[in-house]
Amino acid sequence: MATTQAPIGAQEFVPGDAKTLDELKAAAPGCRGCELHQDATQVVFGRGAEHARLVLVGEQPGDVEDQRGLPFVGPAGRLLRDAVGDAGIDPSIIYLTNTVKHFRFELRGTRRIHQTPGPAHITACRPWLVAEFSLLKPELVVALGATAAKALFGPSFRVTRSRGEFLPWPASAQHPEEFPMAETRAMATIHPSAVLRADDRDAAYRGLVDDLKTAATVLR
Ligand code: SF4
């Protein structure tokens, strides 16, 4: 299993002169910014429109994503695609990414059980997210779930309290200086995996779609 020495962070692995998302993506497999690369199958970088108007930020790749090397292709990703469609959002304007780019898990027998990335992993991986945003400059940022929301808006942010509300971006970012872009909007909602875990899945799904419908109002 991975060693747990303090992460050095991704900064030295992010090409500062990257002009395209493909250049960032090509460099990501070389990242040794934290120990998560040791046990994961591969890095899972963001994907989507080069000039996306909407960026959806999740937590980390899951088991299926880790194996396929693509974000949001597992059960939660399928649900998210349905929710985006039901919210009337054109998928071609979206870029999907995660706060942390390698899968963190715990082995139980042969099963790989998801583990939430810790603050050190989130901080270590942040330079990739900052680099993605610096190229994308989206009109709207939606954090999916608590990990992404806290990473973007700060540790005191509560998705349950503030979901579906527009926030100014980058003014509402924890470190606005890292996102030198025109003022736009941001929002948080639940992660699609929370819908899959909910006792009342239909209600949770409707809540996610309602938040995405609200988000879509600034894209029209
Ligand atoms: S999780 Fe992020 S910082 Fe850690 S090795 Fe992977 S890409 Fe680098």
Side-chain angles (χ1 to χ4, degrees), residues 54-58 72 80 84 94-98 142-144 212:
L54 168 61
V55 176
L56 301 178
V57 184
F72 292 98
L80 179 62
V84 163
I94 295 176
Y95 182 83
L96 294 163
T97 193
N98 280 305
V142 176
L144 302 170
L212 291 174

Side-chain angles (χ1 to χ4, degrees), residues 5 9 55 68 76 82 110 121 136 138 150-151 182-183 215 218 220:
Q5 64 201 49
V55 176
R68 292 186 50 193
D82 289 345
T110 55
H121 304 118
L136 285 160
K150 287 176 188 294
E183 184 80 2
V218 300
R220 298 196 173 110

Side-chain angles (χ1 to χ4, degrees), residues 9-10 28 31-37 43 100-102 121 124-125 128:
C31 187
R32 300 292 179 263
C34 74
E35 83 284 3
L36 294 184
H37 72 90
V43 73
V100 170
K101 312 294 196 231
H102 275 102
H121 304 118
C125 214
W128 289 114

Side-chain angles (χ1 to χ4, degrees), residues 151-175:
L152 291 174
F153 308 130
S156 61
F157 189 89
R158 296 282 175 274
V159 173
T160 44
R161 201 165 53 209
S162 303
R163 64 180 288 183
E165 292 176 7
F166 284 116
L167 304 162
W169 184 266
S172 55
Q174 188 184 11
H175 298 291

Side-chain angles (χ1 to χ4, degrees), residues 7-11 13 28-38 40 42-45 60-61 99-104 117 120-128:
I8 59 171
Q11 191 61 62
F13 304 98
C31 187
R32 300 292 179 263
C34 74
E35 83 284 3
L36 294 184
H37 72 90
Q38 294 174 17
Q42 59 193 314
V43 73
V44 180
F45 208 70
Q60 65 164 359
T99 306
V100 170
K101 312 294 196 231
H102 275 102
F103 180 34
R104 187 182 192 211
H121 304 118
I122 293 165
T123 301
C125 214
R126 189 176 178 85
W128 289 114

